[in-house]
Amino acid sequence: MDTTASSLALPRTIDRHPASFLSRLNRYIAETFVGRYFKLNERGTTFTTEVRAGTATFLTMAYILAVNASILADSGATCSVSDCVPLCSNASIPVSSCTGSGLHVIQPDESCKFDPVNPGYVSCLGRIRKDLIVATAASSIIGCVIMGTFANLPLALAPGMGTNAYFAYSVVGFHGSGNVPYRSALAAVFIEGLIFLALSAVGLRAKLAKLIPKPVRISSSAGIGLFLAFIGLQSSEGIGLIGYSSATFLTLGGCPSSALASLAPVVTYPNGTVGLLQGGTVSDPMLCLHGKMQSPTLWLGIVGFVIIAYCLMKNVKGAMIYGIVFVTAISWFRHTSVTAFPDTESGDAAYDYFKKVVDVHVIKNTAGALSFKNIGKGYFWEALVTFLYVDILDTTGTLYSMARFAGYVDDSGDFEGQYFAFMSDASAIVVGSLLGTSPVTAFIESSTGIKEGGRTGMTALTVAGYFFLALFITPLLASIPAWAVGSPLILVGVMMMKSVLEINWIDMKESIPAFLTLILMPLTYSIAYGLIGGIGSFLVLHLGDWSLAGLKRYGIVKDQRCKSVTSDDKVGAEDVDNNEQTGKALEQI
């Protein structure tokens, strides 16, 4: 009996011991200078709770390391024609052996950046992607450290989804096909960051955000979500579910790579011959010839989508990362139909780098790549103003919503740590541009850490610690394929759509600008055009009301009141209604 009692008592002792140790640890840290600085007791939290909250936040946003690098690499970054290499007219023959009848060496020109992409340019993009992974992690570390140390808020920062897409596809353009070169775009982000920092320092940031029309402000996040989902559905940076159609522009895709054809603008000459239009370029393989929905990588991406979606349904922390890890692990096996390392020269080089596993990569190309030579051009300032507007709108809104979710916002709309919270992301934007990445913003995924009990800056510092560890495994992060990051992009779009619930769809003066904002962003492939469409329509639809309100205020137009005694009450009610609408219109001005 004694032996049995002892054997039963032992597990109870073991169970209590870890809890006792963690309790003592939490009490000890709470009473130290660090605990008092972060107000652990005052905010009703503990050290271990903060670490768990930071872990949950990082797991839900770690996808940004691979996704941001992939999106920004699509801009071509610092890669140029000079990185392309001469090729033989017969691609199967090396340049050194390109002699004989009918063979000649092709010198690279602007077309080398587009399909079929020159091997030298592909190699440059691989180096750029590694640089951008490090730049993403470094800028995230800086933002999280400032947020955690000075603002003492459980909010994590990283290069924002949406602004990176605008940077890569609208400003710089795919492989540098846009109006603004990559180096000039970084300069625009740098100047915008300094302006943003100044606005934050003098307290104008929150006031400027409130000037944006409410329906546009609300729907812009949903429009960015649709934009991201649209990118995730394509083959260049997603799972490839949709493809090009010459009749309807878009159609069902999912064709194997062997069944895709490139497109190019051509001209027919009088003699009947067809040639490439002067200045035209050949696209990536995008026209499906046959075999829709037969791409192996598409179905692997769909499996990843189901995994992430199911985890989100069950509120599993780290749902995004689980889906990415599963799809990526399957894609790392060579000699399969879904491999990320095809049996090509570029595939072999990528696999050799992947096998290093651990590697401290030093940024060689994107750091300090700013150029101010296009500062006098109109398109430079168009990009700068759009970056500034999106940052004021998106970042400020995210900070307010997360602070409100954590219960920090008071009746006046302010929250503790507000000043340094605004300064943290503005400072990170400036540093991020110097490293080569798009604007940094507060991540809405911070809500997962808040749900786990995060209440102080220790949560943000924990996230910074995880991003620091990520600096040592860049070979693994650089080997994540597009079909692994497509599903997270789509589901991030799903989560961003919830803001449409706040739109008054019954009032056409609000619903029309909101709808134009969110629909134009993906269909024009531009966040800027969506914002312009929303704000422009809002101004036009309210112009009549504002004009009438101004005329009434200055007595130019008088209210027509009915003299009938029997209808006095009815008219009075209508007048009150009109006055309320007039007041609202003037407030919106």
Side-chain angles (χ1 to χ4, degrees):
M1 291 296 295
D2 292 340
T3 305
T4 305
S6 300
S7 63
L8 291 175
L10 183 58
R12 289 198 297 269
T13 304
I14 294 176
D15 286 341
R16 286 197 302 267
H17 187 268
S20 178
F21 169 75
L22 294 179
S23 298
R24 290 197 302 270
L25 176 64
N26 287 328
R27 284 196 300 270
Y28 172 76
I29 294 178
E31 294 171 358
T32 62
F33 169 78
V34 173
R36 292 192 300 272
Y37 178 83
F38 288 103
K39 302 180 180 179
L40 294 178
N41 287 333
E42 184 177 332
R43 296 188 180 180
T45 185
T46 63
F47 171 73
T48 54
T49 299
E50 295 296 305
V51 172
R52 185 177 69 248
T55 303
T57 299
F58 177 78
L59 288 176
T60 57
M61 64 180 292
Y63 68 88
I64 191 62
L65 290 166
V67 174
N68 187 61
S70 296
I71 290 177
L72 294 182
D74 276 351
S75 70
T78 57
C79 296
S80 63
V81 177
S82 61
D83 294 293
C84 299
V85 296
L87 298 174
C88 183
S89 55
N90 186 335
S92 61
I93 299 177
V95 175
S96 57
S97 304
C98 191
T99 57
S101 177
L103 297 178
H104 63 279
V105 176
I106 302 175
Q107 296 298 326
D109 55 20
E110 281 293 326
S111 64
C112 76
K113 300 188 296 182
F114 306 97
D115 189 76
V117 182
N118 187 280
Y121 195 82
V122 172
S123 177
C124 178
L125 291 178
R127 297 190 298 270
I128 289 297
R129 193 161 183 256
K130 298 169 189 175
D131 282 357
L132 291 172
I133 289 175
V134 177
T136 300
S139 58
S140 301
I141 291 170
I142 293 169
C144 290
V145 168
I146 297 175
M147 178 68 76
T149 304
F150 297 101
N152 195 22
L153 291 172
L155 306 179
L157 293 88
M161 298 296 293
T163 50
N164 56 4
Y166 173 71
F167 181 98
Y169 302 117
S170 298
V171 178
V172 183
F174 183 76
H175 288 183
S177 58
N179 292 326
V180 184
Y182 173 79
R183 297 178 184 274
S184 297
L186 287 180
V189 174
F190 177 76
I191 296 175
E192 178 264 335
L194 292 177
I195 297 174
F196 201 38
L197 188 61
L199 293 174
S200 301
V202 299
L204 288 177
R205 179 171 165 184
K207 295 180 180 179
L208 286 175
K210 293 176 182 178
L211 292 177
I212 306 301
K214 182 179 178 181
V216 178
R217 186 168 64 248
I218 295 173
S219 61
S220 61
S221 61
I224 293 173
L226 288 176
F227 189 17
L228 294 175
F230 187 49
I231 295 172
L233 288 169
Q234 299 176 56
S235 58
S236 60
E237 197 53 60
I239 62 177
L241 181 61
I242 60 176
Y244 172 77
S245 168
S246 58
T248 61
F249 294 107
L250 290 176
T251 187
L252 188 67
C255 300
S257 57
S258 58
L260 293 174
S262 300
L263 300 176
V266 297
V267 59
T268 303
Y269 296 101
N271 61 1
T273 60
V274 178
L276 184 67
L277 184 68
Q278 185 176 4
T281 57
V282 181
S283 71
D284 278 341
M286 57 188 297
L287 179 62
C288 183
L289 302 177
H290 57 81
K292 290 184 177 181
M293 298 295 291
Q294 295 182 19
S295 170
T297 56
L298 164 66
W299 288 105
L300 181 58
I302 291 176
V303 171
F305 177 90
V306 173
I307 291 173
I308 298 173
Y310 186 81
C311 290
L312 291 174
M313 288 167 51
K314 298 299 181 180
N315 294 318
V316 176
K317 301 298 185 294
M320 299 288 184
I321 205 72
Y322 295 150
I324 294 176
V325 167
F326 174 81
V327 175
T328 301
I330 299 297
S331 304
W332 281 347
F333 290 97
R334 296 206 76 180
H335 313 301
T336 67
S337 58
V338 295
T339 183
F341 312 110
D343 295 320
T344 61
E345 183 177 347
S346 60
D348 292 339
Y351 186 68
D352 290 338
Y353 181 68
F354 162 74
K355 288 188 295 184
K356 292 183 178 180
V357 180
V358 176
D359 178 47
V360 181
H361 181 80
V362 179
I363 302 177
K364 300 177 181 178
N365 301 285
T366 62
L370 292 76
S371 173
F372 296 91
K373 68 178 183 180
N374 290 318
I375 195 171
K377 303 293 179 62
Y379 48 72
F380 177 92
W381 290 99
E382 177 188 353
L384 188 152
V385 170
T386 303
F387 282 134
L388 181 61
Y389 168 77
V390 172
D391 281 336
I392 291 174
L393 179 68
D394 185 54
T395 305
T396 306
T398 300
L399 285 173
Y400 268 114
S401 61
M402 291 298 99
R404 187 179 300 109
F405 183 69
Y408 293 151
V409 178
D410 57 26
D411 294 336
S412 63
D414 298 324
F415 57 91
E416 185 180 355
Q418 174 178 285
Y419 180 81
F420 284 109
F422 288 158
M423 295 292 288
S424 62
D425 54 5
S427 302
I429 289 173
V430 175
V431 175
S433 66
L434 296 175
L435 296 174
T437 188
S438 54
V440 176
T441 180
F443 259 56
I444 199 167
E445 283 83 354
S446 301
S447 59
T448 59
I450 296 174
K451 287 181 180 180
E452 286 290 327
R455 290 294 181 271
T456 74
M458 279 190 176
T459 297
L461 293 178
T462 301
V463 176
Y466 281 116
F467 274 118
F468 177 76
L469 293 177
L471 293 173
F472 300 96
I473 54 173
T474 50
L476 300 182
L477 297 174
S479 302
I480 299 176
W483 52 90
V485 299
S487 295
L489 286 175
I490 298 169
L491 289 165
V492 167
V494 172
M495 291 185 287
M496 295 180 73
M497 285 299 296
K498 64 182 179 182
S499 62
V500 300
L501 296 174
E502 302 176 35
I503 299 172
N504 183 5
W505 293 105
I506 298 176
D507 186 353
M508 289 294 105
K509 292 179 182 178
E510 289 195 16
S511 60
I512 291 174
F515 179 77
L516 289 176
T517 299
L518 64 90
I519 198 65
L520 286 177
M521 285 186 182
L523 295 187
T524 61
Y525 226 70
S526 169
I527 295 173
Y529 293 151
L531 296 175
I532 292 171
I535 295 174
S537 62
F538 182 87
L539 295 175
V540 170
L541 293 175
H542 286 78
L543 185 60
D545 287 345
W546 292 341
S547 300
L548 182 59
L551 292 174
K552 287 181 178 180
R553 168 166 288 193
Y554 293 104
I556 299 175
V557 174
K558 296 182 179 179
D559 290 340
Q560 297 297 322
R561 297 181 180 273
C562 181
K563 300 298 183 181
S564 173
V565 176
T566 57
S567 59
D568 277 349
D569 293 342
K570 180 178 179 181
V571 173
E574 291 175 349
D575 287 340
V576 171
D577 232 4
N578 291 333
N579 289 336
E580 288 178 354
Q581 292 178 2
T582 300
K584 291 180 179 179
L586 289 173
E587 287 176 2
Q588 288 173 330
I589 295 176

